[in-house]
Amino acid sequence: PEQGLLGLRSGLGLYANLRPVRPWPALYDASPLRRERIEGTDLLVVRELTGGLYFGERGREPERAFDTCVYTVGEVRRLAEWGFRAAAGRRGRVTSVDKANVLETSRLWREVVSAMAPEHPDVELEHMLVDNAAMQLVSRPADFDVIVTENLFGDVLSDEAAMITGSIGMLPSASLGTGALGMYEPVHGSAPDIAGRGVANPIATVLSAAM
């Protein structure tokens, strides 16, 4: 199933994944985080979808395996543009998440996003290393507005952020590109373990349709 999903994203040119995270007051107590920690959380994860490790050259040999992470300036710019534009219509803050203290692709990422900031003077930009971002998401989620990040980091962080709402299955998402096509879906698939029991919450499907 994962390969089919990756193929759809790549084939349709859907390079930007938007995942809004807004816990519902009625479900505050379903979150593993304390109510006072998640109150007021309203953030958007903008994740790059068609580059990075998931689409790089890979291989397996008897004693080794490798996955290659590659990003171009153009790929970073077009994704970051989504983040800046989204922040301009929200609270005006972008947090660009990378691992620039270790990874060369992240150093490129940070340079490109930093160079774009003057094009969006009404938006405040901060950079955050991914390990720190993972900690801050659970300690002060309400302080984030728009998070912009690459494919793998976005996969992990958006699932972590989803748990603020109490369940990964509660959030909608939109996968978009430069054209009119888009793919809208709950953040995380089906739930066969509760099929037929009448307890599945349809809110993520409804919100995806609304997006």
Side-chain angles (χ1 to χ4, degrees):
E2 288 76 14
Q3 290 305 310
L5 188 59
L6 292 177
L8 276 172
R9 292 169 179 168
S10 178
L12 296 175
L14 308 178
Y15 61 83
N17 184 238
L18 279 59
R19 297 186 175 188
V21 179
R22 186 184 302 117
W24 299 92
L27 296 174
Y28 276 170
D29 294 330
S31 173
L33 299 180
R34 293 197 306 270
R35 173 183 286 257
E36 60 267 26
R37 200 173 285 276
I38 64 174
E39 283 179 330
T41 297
D42 181 3
L43 63 91
L44 176 68
V45 179
V46 180
R47 167 192 170 192
E48 202 285 325
L49 269 191
T50 57
L53 281 172
Y54 292 177
F55 290 90
E57 183 181 354
R58 65 188 62 187
R60 182 75 181 266
E61 300 170 4
E63 299 296 326
R64 64 189 289 265
F66 65 93
D67 298 278
T68 307
C69 183
V70 176
Y71 272 109
T72 67
V73 170
E75 287 174 324
V76 179
R77 277 194 62 89
R78 67 183 185 179
L79 191 279
E81 185 65 28
W82 275 98
F84 280 115
R85 283 166 41 199
R90 292 169 52 89
R91 301 198 308 278
R93 294 202 312 275
V94 166
T95 302
S96 179
V97 175
D98 57 42
K99 190 64 177 170
N101 59 336
V102 176
L103 300 178
E104 201 61 45
T105 48
S106 281
R107 294 184 185 113
L108 173 70
W109 186 283
R110 184 172 292 208
E111 291 168 7
V112 172
V113 175
S114 295
M116 293 177 65
E119 302 170 19
H120 303 274
D122 296 331
V123 176
E124 175 187 347
L125 171 66
E126 69 170 341
H127 298 281
M128 191 174 291
L129 297 176
V130 63
D131 40 357
N132 184 32
M135 292 188 293
Q136 301 303 331
L137 263 178
V138 294
S139 65
R140 52 180 187 92
D143 289 348
F144 287 92
D145 183 16
V146 175
I147 295 173
V148 175
T149 192
E150 59 100 61
N151 206 340
L152 175 62
F153 299 159
D155 193 357
V156 175
L157 291 178
S158 59
D159 285 359
E160 180 191 11
M163 288 308 298
I164 296 169
T165 69
S167 169
I168 195 172
M170 300 296 291
L171 295 183
S173 75
S175 298
L176 306 171
T178 54
L181 292 174
M183 183 166 62
Y184 304 84
E185 58 182 334
V187 161
H188 211 281
S190 60
D193 55 317
I194 58 173
R197 291 170 49 191
V199 297
N201 192 324
I203 193 166
T205 302
V206 174
L207 292 175
S208 295
M211 289 184 75

